Amino acid sequence: MARYNHPLARRMTKVQQPRDVLVRFHEIGLKGKNQPMFVRRLVENLERATVGLGVERVWATRMLVRMRLAPEADWDAVRARTATVFGAVKFSLAARTEPDYDHISALLGETASARIFSTFRISANRTDKTFTLTSHDLNVRLGDEIREATGARVDLSHPEADFRVVVGRDDAFVYADDNRGAGGLPVGTGGKVAVMMSGGIDSPVAAWRMMRRGCKAVLVHFHAFPLVEGRSRDKAKELAELLNAWQYDTRLHLVPFADVQRRVILEVPGPLRVIAYRRFMVRIAEAIAAREGAQALVTGESLGQVGSQTLRNIATVDEAASMPIFRPLVGLDKSEIIDQAQAIGTYETSILPDEDCCTLFVPRSPATAVKPDQIAECEARLDVSALVAEAAAAAEVFEYHAPRA
Ligand code: ATP
Ligand code: MG
């Protein structure tokens, strides 16, 4: 019986294979009739994230999104950018060939010859069910060939090499490495939120978490310049630029807060001031959110992390808002937030020294249980709506944009 001549045996000369990146999604796949909208946005975001890197085309097929790489494309650069696109769960660089058995076998042989392994598995998947062999047949036949050519053993549970074969109608793919995607939902599918972003560790992570759920984040930073030097403004700009890598277009509002603070220290006793500041921030952020078409506010608070973040105080701050306030970090420990800040690359900027406007004219231990009527009594002596309108109107806006094709 004529045996197929395996490329490992016949030392086929290596040719540059055409390459596609196969991007898999998961949660989007459960979206029913809205799925096309999510997939379209994922495609657009992948295009935007990889501008200038030699990605020739990005398009959706039934089960996955494909990115066609130019021969000269730098895969490491494409990989790094693809890993920042929300909605992608896994992605792989796959070699492409004709959807027939001999081509697939040859390509698999070439892929296998590039690595060293003593155990392996083949995981074939037909997206085109008219292909003559079933996935199981492919696994068995291709597995036999690899076994004979290499002497490696099949291990279905913990293989050293896991060769994936995807057979579609017009082409077939072989790949052996999966990359972890950013997960979540494509940014831009979930509406817009206004994130109250200090220069600290937590709120940039909160912004990232909301983007990961599909929201565009407008950033709002309050600073006490000229009461202080104003370094927090530079940090906010730097953080905005870092966060822009995940959402491509970002608006940052720098809001002067010194006038509000001057008024608050006259009318609000020290222990209550942090909560008074926060309620002003919430109202001003809401005015900016309304202008930006954002539908909710976001903070970096985590329950009980500091005295101003007790349940009582959070409820008292919420009372000043009419929009929902999201706190995506509410259940996280500080160490978990720090890990996340390091992973997304904001940590180093966040720990640079600055002047936190919330600690200005505030005693070391602020009240941990401020009731709404205590604050309301103080606020009655202030022209709240005028102060809010003035601060919102005085905000400076900065924009950040990723390149477009
Ligand atoms: P962060 O690390 O984000 O500063 P934190 O744990 O230090 O948070 P606080 O300083 O008590 O907490 O602030 C709580 C939240 O209030 C912040 O996460 C942020 O959402 C908001 N906030 C505080 N200060 C500012 C500011 N100057 N500008 C914008 N938002 C702020
Ligand atoms: Mg802070």
Side-chain angles (χ1 to χ4, degrees):
M1 190 178 75
R3 188 171 150 271
Y4 173 61
N5 197 5
H6 197 279
L8 281 182
R10 78 182 133 109
R11 302 224 174 273
M12 198 171 88
T13 44
K14 210 171 162 104
V15 289
Q16 172 79 38
Q17 300 292 347
R19 299 174 301 169
D20 277 11
V21 182
L22 308 184
V23 180
R24 271 97 70 214
F25 43 82
H26 179 236
E27 204 173 329
I28 298 173
L30 315 172
K31 287 290 177 205
K33 70 175 175 12
N34 289 328
Q35 184 180 327
M37 182 273 284
F38 285 90
V39 174
R40 217 176 309 125
R41 186 53 73 107
L42 176 59
V43 167
E44 285 167 18
N45 290 351
L46 285 164
E47 283 170 348
R48 187 83 186 273
T50 57
V51 164
L53 300 181
V55 174
E56 289 176 342
R57 188 180 158 218
V58 183
W59 75 106
T61 65
R62 208 162 53 83
M63 313 288 284
L64 37 79
V65 172
R66 283 166 58 176
M67 299 201 286
R68 170 79 30 97
L69 297 191
E72 72 281 5
D74 174 357
W75 164 236
D76 284 336
V78 173
R79 173 166 49 197
R81 293 300 298 150
T82 303
T84 66
V85 178
F86 295 121
V89 174
K90 284 181 184 170
F91 62 97
S92 314
L93 180 64
R96 189 174 86 243
T97 190
E98 302 298 311
D100 70 62
Y101 186 81
D102 287 354
H103 280 89
I104 294 168
S105 164
L107 183 55
L108 176 64
E110 198 171 312
T111 307
S113 67
R115 30 183 82 224
I116 296 173
F117 53 95
S118 64
T119 59
F120 74 100
R121 166 175 76 183
I122 311 273
S123 313
N125 182 10
R126 287 181 310 164
T127 61
D128 175 22
K129 300 295 179 201
T130 64
F131 188 71
T132 47
L133 295 169
T134 65
S135 301
H136 178 72
D137 295 340
L138 276 168
N139 288 342
V140 171
R141 274 183 70 176
L142 293 168
D144 283 346
E145 288 185 4
I146 296 280
R147 220 150 31 109
E148 282 170 30
T150 63
R153 202 159 48 72
V154 171
D155 179 349
L156 295 181
S157 40
H158 296 101
E160 287 170 15
D162 189 0
F163 297 108
R164 256 58 73 80
V165 176
V166 180
V167 187
R169 201 173 44 122
D170 302 319
D171 19 34
F173 296 96
V174 172
Y175 63 92
D177 294 301
D178 263 338
N179 296 275
R180 192 130 69 95
L185 296 171
V187 73
T189 57
K192 207 184 269 183
V193 292
V195 180
M196 294 164 58
M197 189 183 74
S198 71
I201 296 169
D202 304 340
S203 38
V205 175
W208 183 86
R209 289 237 155 200
M210 295 307 297
M211 294 176 193
R212 190 167 184 259
R213 292 311 298 166
C215 291
K216 279 269 181 184
V218 176
L219 308 176
V220 182
H221 174 73
F222 298 88
H223 62 83
F225 184 81
L227 294 182
V228 296
E229 263 180 56
R231 273 179 295 186
S232 79
R233 295 189 302 176
D234 298 328
K235 280 177 71 175
K237 289 183 197 169
E238 211 170 293
L239 289 166
E241 199 161 346
L242 292 172
L243 289 169
N244 189 53
W246 306 83
Q247 67 170 359
Y248 323 116
D249 297 293
T250 301
R251 285 164 64 80
L252 166 68
H253 294 252
L254 295 184
V255 186
F257 202 54
D259 285 346
V260 170
Q261 291 183 287
R262 284 196 190 94
R263 298 295 305 159
V264 165
I265 59 169
L266 293 177
E267 303 295 349
V268 182
L272 308 187
R273 281 179 198 154
V274 178
I275 301 307
Y277 292 160
R278 267 313 131 63
R279 282 167 58 104
F280 269 100
M281 285 185 181
V282 160
R283 294 183 180 109
I284 297 164
E286 223 169 48
I288 291 171
R291 243 167 36 208
E292 290 278 355
Q295 292 172 284
L297 303 182
V298 176
T299 79
E301 289 159 308
S302 144
L303 191 60
Q305 193 189 84
V306 289
S308 59
Q309 300 177 17
T310 60
L311 191 50
R312 174 69 266 165
N313 283 345
I314 284 178
T316 297
V317 171
D318 264 26
E319 224 231 358
S322 52
M323 283 182 183
I325 303 183
F326 293 143
R327 297 179 169 87
L329 312 184
V330 73
L332 296 187
D333 293 353
K334 189 75 187 186
S335 62
E336 293 169 313
I337 301 170
I338 288 174
D339 287 349
Q340 184 116 71
Q342 283 170 333
I344 66 174
T346 53
Y347 182 77
E348 295 302 326
T349 304
S350 287
I351 59 173
L352 296 172
D354 67 358
E355 317 93 347
D356 179 356
C357 66
C358 290
T359 56
L360 276 187
F361 320 115
V362 163
R364 201 183 278 275
S365 41
T368 53
V370 181
K371 298 215 178 68
D373 49 345
Q374 282 176 280
I375 283 281
E377 204 184 297
C378 305
E379 286 173 351
R381 296 192 291 272
L382 297 163
D383 189 346
V384 172
S385 52
L387 284 166
V388 168
E390 279 162 26
E396 297 169 89
V397 185
F398 293 84
E399 295 197 10
Y400 303 84
H401 300 286
R404 285 184 179 282

